[in-house]
Short mmCIF file of all heavy atoms in Angstrom, two decimals:
data_model
loop_
_atom_site.label_atom_id
_atom_site.label_comp_id
_atom_site.label_asym_id
_atom_site.label_seq_id
_atom_site.Cartn_x
_atom_site.Cartn_y
_atom_site.Cartn_z
N PHE R 1 0.80 -1.22 0.02
CA PHE R 1 -0.04 -0.04 -0.01
C PHE R 1 0.81 1.27 -0.04
O PHE R 1 0.40 2.29 -0.46
CB PHE R 1 -1.01 -0.01 1.18
CG PHE R 1 -2.14 -1.00 0.90
CD1 PHE R 1 -2.09 -2.31 1.32
CD2 PHE R 1 -3.22 -0.62 0.20
CE1 PHE R 1 -3.09 -3.25 1.05
CE2 PHE R 1 -4.24 -1.46 -0.07
CZ PHE R 1 -4.16 -2.79 0.30
N ALA R 2 2.08 1.17 0.50
CA ALA R 2 2.96 2.32 0.33
C ALA R 2 3.31 2.55 -1.13
O ALA R 2 3.32 3.74 -1.59
CB ALA R 2 4.31 2.03 1.12
N GLN R 3 3.47 1.45 -1.87
CA GLN R 3 3.73 1.59 -3.34
C GLN R 3 2.57 2.21 -4.02
O GLN R 3 2.61 3.09 -4.90
CB GLN R 3 4.04 0.25 -3.97
CG GLN R 3 5.40 -0.37 -3.49
CD GLN R 3 5.64 -1.64 -4.27
OE1 GLN R 3 5.65 -1.75 -5.45
NE2 GLN R 3 5.92 -2.73 -3.48
N ILE R 4 1.30 1.73 -3.66
CA ILE R 4 0.07 2.27 -4.26
C ILE R 4 -0.06 3.74 -3.94
O ILE R 4 -0.33 4.57 -4.86
CB ILE R 4 -1.16 1.47 -3.72
CG1 ILE R 4 -1.13 0.04 -4.24
CG2 ILE R 4 -2.47 2.17 -4.10
CD1 ILE R 4 -2.12 -0.86 -3.59
N ASN R 5 0.10 4.11 -2.67
CA ASN R 5 -0.03 5.50 -2.30
C ASN R 5 1.00 6.37 -2.97
O ASN R 5 0.65 7.56 -3.39
CB ASN R 5 0.11 5.64 -0.76
CG ASN R 5 -1.05 5.09 -0.02
OD1 ASN R 5 -2.20 5.06 -0.59
ND2 ASN R 5 -0.92 4.68 1.23
N GLU R 6 2.20 5.91 -3.08
CA GLU R 6 3.25 6.73 -3.70
C GLU R 6 2.93 6.98 -5.14
O GLU R 6 3.02 8.15 -5.64
CB GLU R 6 4.64 6.00 -3.60
CG GLU R 6 5.81 6.83 -4.17
CD GLU R 6 7.12 6.10 -3.96
OE1 GLU R 6 7.15 4.99 -3.41
OE2 GLU R 6 8.14 6.70 -4.36
N ARG R 7 2.50 5.96 -5.91
CA ARG R 7 2.10 6.20 -7.32
C ARG R 7 0.94 7.13 -7.44
O ARG R 7 0.94 8.03 -8.34
CB ARG R 7 1.81 4.81 -7.95
CG ARG R 7 3.02 4.03 -8.30
CD ARG R 7 2.77 2.93 -9.27
NE ARG R 7 2.33 3.49 -10.56
CZ ARG R 7 1.84 2.72 -11.56
NH1 ARG R 7 1.66 1.42 -11.36
NH2 ARG R 7 1.52 3.26 -12.71
N ILE R 8 -0.03 6.92 -6.66
CA ILE R 8 -1.25 7.79 -6.75
C ILE R 8 -0.93 9.20 -6.40
O ILE R 8 -1.32 10.15 -7.07
CB ILE R 8 -2.42 7.19 -5.85
CG1 ILE R 8 -2.99 5.96 -6.46
CG2 ILE R 8 -3.52 8.25 -5.68
CD1 ILE R 8 -3.96 5.21 -5.58
N ASN R 9 -0.15 9.42 -5.27
CA ASN R 9 0.17 10.78 -4.83
C ASN R 9 1.02 11.50 -5.86
O ASN R 9 0.87 12.66 -6.09
CB ASN R 9 0.90 10.66 -3.51
CG ASN R 9 -0.06 10.33 -2.38
OD1 ASN R 9 -1.27 10.54 -2.44
ND2 ASN R 9 0.49 9.76 -1.30
N ASP R 10 1.99 10.75 -6.46
CA ASP R 10 2.80 11.40 -7.52
C ASP R 10 1.98 11.94 -8.64
O ASP R 10 2.14 13.09 -9.15
CB ASP R 10 3.87 10.38 -8.06
CG ASP R 10 4.95 10.15 -7.05
OD1 ASP R 10 5.04 10.91 -6.02
OD2 ASP R 10 5.75 9.15 -7.19
N ILE R 11 1.04 11.09 -9.13
CA ILE R 11 0.17 11.55 -10.25
C ILE R 11 -0.74 12.61 -9.84
O ILE R 11 -0.96 13.62 -10.62
CB ILE R 11 -0.61 10.28 -10.76
CG1 ILE R 11 0.31 9.27 -11.35
CG2 ILE R 11 -1.60 10.78 -11.88
CD1 ILE R 11 -0.39 7.93 -11.69
N MET R 12 -1.29 12.62 -8.61
CA MET R 12 -2.17 13.66 -8.14
C MET R 12 -1.46 15.03 -8.07
O MET R 12 -1.96 16.02 -8.39
CB MET R 12 -2.75 13.33 -6.75
CG MET R 12 -3.68 12.10 -6.73
SD MET R 12 -5.33 12.41 -7.21
CE MET R 12 -6.06 12.96 -5.68
N GLU R 13 -0.20 14.97 -7.60
CA GLU R 13 0.63 16.21 -7.52
C GLU R 13 0.93 16.78 -8.85
O GLU R 13 1.07 18.02 -9.06
CB GLU R 13 1.85 15.94 -6.73
CG GLU R 13 1.63 15.69 -5.22
CD GLU R 13 2.95 15.29 -4.49
OE1 GLU R 13 3.99 15.38 -5.15
OE2 GLU R 13 2.86 14.91 -3.33
N GLU R 14 1.13 15.91 -9.84
CA GLU R 14 1.52 16.35 -11.16
C GLU R 14 0.33 16.78 -12.02
O GLU R 14 0.50 17.40 -13.10
CB GLU R 14 2.26 15.20 -11.91
CG GLU R 14 3.56 14.86 -11.31
CD GLU R 14 4.13 13.53 -11.85
OE1 GLU R 14 3.46 12.96 -12.73
OE2 GLU R 14 5.18 13.08 -11.38
N THR R 15 -0.92 16.48 -11.55
CA THR R 15 -2.10 16.75 -12.34
C THR R 15 -3.08 17.67 -11.63
O THR R 15 -3.88 17.17 -10.81
CB THR R 15 -2.82 15.40 -12.75
OG1 THR R 15 -1.80 14.48 -13.12
CG2 THR R 15 -3.84 15.61 -13.80
N PRO R 16 -3.00 18.97 -11.87
CA PRO R 16 -3.92 19.91 -11.18
C PRO R 16 -5.32 19.58 -11.49
O PRO R 16 -5.69 19.14 -12.63
CB PRO R 16 -3.50 21.32 -11.76
CG PRO R 16 -2.12 21.01 -12.34
CD PRO R 16 -2.06 19.67 -12.75
N GLY R 17 -6.23 19.68 -10.51
CA GLY R 17 -7.65 19.49 -10.71
C GLY R 17 -8.13 18.08 -10.67
O GLY R 17 -9.32 17.75 -10.73
N LEU R 18 -7.19 17.15 -10.48
CA LEU R 18 -7.54 15.73 -10.54
C LEU R 18 -8.27 15.36 -9.24
O LEU R 18 -9.02 14.39 -9.24
CB LEU R 18 -6.30 14.90 -10.70
CG LEU R 18 -6.48 13.36 -11.02
CD1 LEU R 18 -7.38 13.18 -12.25
CD2 LEU R 18 -5.10 12.70 -11.22
N SER R 19 -7.95 16.00 -8.16
CA SER R 19 -8.43 15.52 -6.82
C SER R 19 -10.00 15.52 -6.76
O SER R 19 -10.51 14.79 -5.94
CB SER R 19 -7.82 16.37 -5.73
OG SER R 19 -8.15 17.74 -5.89
N GLU R 20 -10.66 16.45 -7.48
CA GLU R 20 -12.09 16.52 -7.43
C GLU R 20 -12.81 15.89 -8.56
O GLU R 20 -14.09 15.92 -8.61
CB GLU R 20 -12.53 17.98 -7.20
CG GLU R 20 -12.01 18.64 -5.96
CD GLU R 20 -12.39 17.91 -4.69
OE1 GLU R 20 -13.61 17.49 -4.66
OE2 GLU R 20 -11.61 17.75 -3.81
N ASN R 21 -12.17 15.33 -9.44
CA ASN R 21 -12.74 14.74 -10.68
C ASN R 21 -12.59 13.29 -10.66
O ASN R 21 -11.55 12.71 -11.07
CB ASN R 21 -12.03 15.28 -11.95
CG ASN R 21 -12.78 14.97 -13.18
OD1 ASN R 21 -13.40 13.93 -13.31
ND2 ASN R 21 -12.74 15.90 -14.18
N VAL R 22 -13.64 12.58 -10.17
CA VAL R 22 -13.58 11.13 -9.95
C VAL R 22 -13.45 10.39 -11.26
O VAL R 22 -12.69 9.40 -11.37
CB VAL R 22 -14.81 10.66 -9.19
CG1 VAL R 22 -14.78 9.14 -9.02
CG2 VAL R 22 -14.81 11.27 -7.79
N ALA R 23 -14.12 10.89 -12.33
CA ALA R 23 -14.09 10.19 -13.64
C ALA R 23 -12.64 10.21 -14.15
O ALA R 23 -12.16 9.19 -14.64
CB ALA R 23 -15.05 10.86 -14.59
N ARG R 24 -11.89 11.37 -14.02
CA ARG R 24 -10.56 11.44 -14.45
C ARG R 24 -9.61 10.57 -13.59
O ARG R 24 -8.71 9.94 -14.04
CB ARG R 24 -10.09 12.88 -14.51
CG ARG R 24 -10.52 13.70 -15.68
CD ARG R 24 -9.83 15.02 -15.70
NE ARG R 24 -8.39 14.93 -15.83
CZ ARG R 24 -7.47 15.91 -15.58
NH1 ARG R 24 -7.96 17.08 -15.12
NH2 ARG R 24 -6.22 15.73 -15.75
#
């Protein structure tokens, strides 16, 4: 789950507006 969180967090930080768009 550390690997999962790291990958998800990296993408979230690099992609503005992603945090509120569930479809994206």
Side-chain angles (χ1 to χ4, degrees):
F1 286 91
Q3 291 183 56
I4 291 172
N5 287 335
E6 184 177 0
R7 284 197 62 191
I8 289 175
N9 289 335
D10 286 347
I11 297 171
M12 294 280 275
E13 288 175 9
E14 294 168 2
T15 314
L18 190 58
S19 60
E20 296 304 317
N21 190 325
V22 175
R24 280 189 63 196

